[in-house]
Amino acid sequence: MPLYMVSTQSSVPVEKRVELANLIMNVHCGMTGAPETFVNVMFMENVPLNDGISLNVIANVRKGRTGEMNETLRQEQIRKISELIKVPEFQMELSLFEVPANWIMEGGEVLPEPGEEDSCEWLKKGHTA
C-alpha cells in the first residue's frame, strides 16, 4: 500500500515500466513520507480506455491525509508521469482512493496510520514487505 494500478492502451517497454514505477514511488514517498517498501505499482497493458485517454492510474492510498495533500500528490504524479512518458496531461486520468490503514497488510503486518511510521515496531526492526 499504496497500490498504483497503471493502465495503458498500448504496450510499455520493460525499461519504461521500471522508470515509471520508480517515479511513482519517489513522488509518493517524497510527498507523504511513506516508506518505499509500502509502494506497489501494477501495470495493465492493451486496456480499452475512455476516448482521448492514453494512460489511466488508479491508486489506493492510506486514509488520513488532507484532501489538499491528496490533490497535491495527484497533480504532482500527473505532472511527473506526463514528463517521463511524453503523454500530455489531458490524455491522462489519475484517481486516488483512500483506504483505512488498518484494512491493509504488508508482509503479514497491519500498516500504521500515515505519519506514525516512526513508531511502528515492525518497521523499526527492519521488516520489509
Side-chain angles (χ1 to χ4, degrees):
M1 181 61 148
L3 172 60
Y4 283 83
M5 296 165 282
V6 180
S7 299
T8 58
Q9 288 183 329
S10 58
S11 183
V12 178
V14 173
E15 301 80 22
K16 194 57 81 174
R17 281 185 270 156
V18 169
E19 285 182 65
L20 184 52
N22 284 326
L23 178 139
I24 288 170
M25 177 189 66
N26 290 335
V27 170
H28 186 91
C29 295
M31 294 190 72
T32 67
E36 291 180 357
T37 189
F38 284 7
V39 181
N40 297 280
V41 181
M42 182 171 72
F43 292 90
M44 295 163 284
E45 298 179 331
N46 304 312
V47 176
L49 299 174
N50 291 332
D51 286 343
I53 301 299
S54 300
L55 181 133
N56 177 280
V57 180
I58 297 174
N60 294 320
V61 298
R62 285 182 292 165
K63 187 175 183 176
R65 297 185 180 93
T66 66
E68 181 180 297
M69 169 67 157
N70 282 336
E71 182 58 20
T72 301
L73 173 61
R74 191 181 82 76
Q75 290 296 328
E76 186 67 3
Q77 289 285 19
I78 289 171
R79 188 177 71 75
K80 294 282 193 169
I81 291 169
S82 175
E83 288 173 8
L84 176 70
I85 62 173
K86 309 295 187 235
V87 169
E89 292 181 18
F90 67 87
Q91 290 181 357
M92 295 174 51
E93 295 175 327
L94 194 144
S95 302
L96 301 178
F97 296 96
E98 293 183 310
V99 178
N102 63 1
W103 289 10
I104 308 155
M105 294 183 83
E106 289 281 347
E109 303 286 353
V110 175
L111 290 189
E113 295 296 324
E116 295 180 6
E117 295 86 1
D118 289 341
S119 63
C120 180
E121 289 301 317
W122 61 269
L123 276 175
K124 285 182 187 177
K125 293 177 183 174
H127 178 87
T128 58

